[in-house]
Amino acid sequence: MEGVHLVKRMGEPDEEKYDLAIDGFFLAIGHTPNTTVFKKWITTDEYGYIITKDGKPMTNIEGVFAAGDVADPDYRQAITAAASGCKAAIEAERYLSCRVLK
């Protein structure tokens, strides 16, 4: 990779084109958590991230767990999201096991 061609306001009367020399490229998507559909029930912060309790994947609703980018405003990486999902799955299994065994 030697560079990129950037277009600002493509198709608009004030469209501008830039050529930028770069050595590498990291594409970041999902800077806004896709949680709007849940905001009616699940507590989120001012940016839309789901608030979890005590560093665990529990939300304000018993039996509802959050993991990955929707609950992690700091790291937002696939590997941390996978680990977060694993923790949520373990907690969900524990939650269900306690209810089934009773």
Side-chain angles (χ1 to χ4, degrees):
M1 175 174 289
E2 296 176 5
V4 294
H5 302 289
L6 304 172
V7 180
K8 180 179 178 182
R9 300 187 49 80
M10 182 182 281
E12 300 294 324
D14 59 343
E15 176 180 297
E16 297 177 48
K17 296 181 180 181
Y18 302 91
D19 287 328
L20 181 64
I22 60 173
D23 294 325
F25 181 75
F26 181 81
L27 177 62
I29 61 172
H31 288 282
T32 303
N34 193 8
T35 57
T36 305
V37 68
F38 305 111
K39 283 187 176 190
K40 188 175 180 180
W41 304 280
I42 298 175
T43 305
T44 60
D45 67 12
E46 67 267 24
Y47 302 106
Y49 290 96
I50 295 173
I51 296 173
T52 57
K53 297 180 180 181
D54 302 323
K56 295 194 175 204
M58 289 82 155
T59 67
N60 61 297
I61 300 175
E62 184 179 350
V64 176
F65 305 90
D69 294 0
V70 298
D72 182 3
D74 296 318
Y75 299 104
R76 297 181 298 197
Q77 297 292 317
I79 193 70
T80 57
S84 175
C86 181
K87 287 196 262 183
I90 290 169
E91 292 294 342
E93 188 272 333
R94 289 176 180 164
Y95 175 83
L96 293 171
S97 291
C98 289
R99 274 126 195 98
V100 172
L101 296 175
K102 286 184 177 180

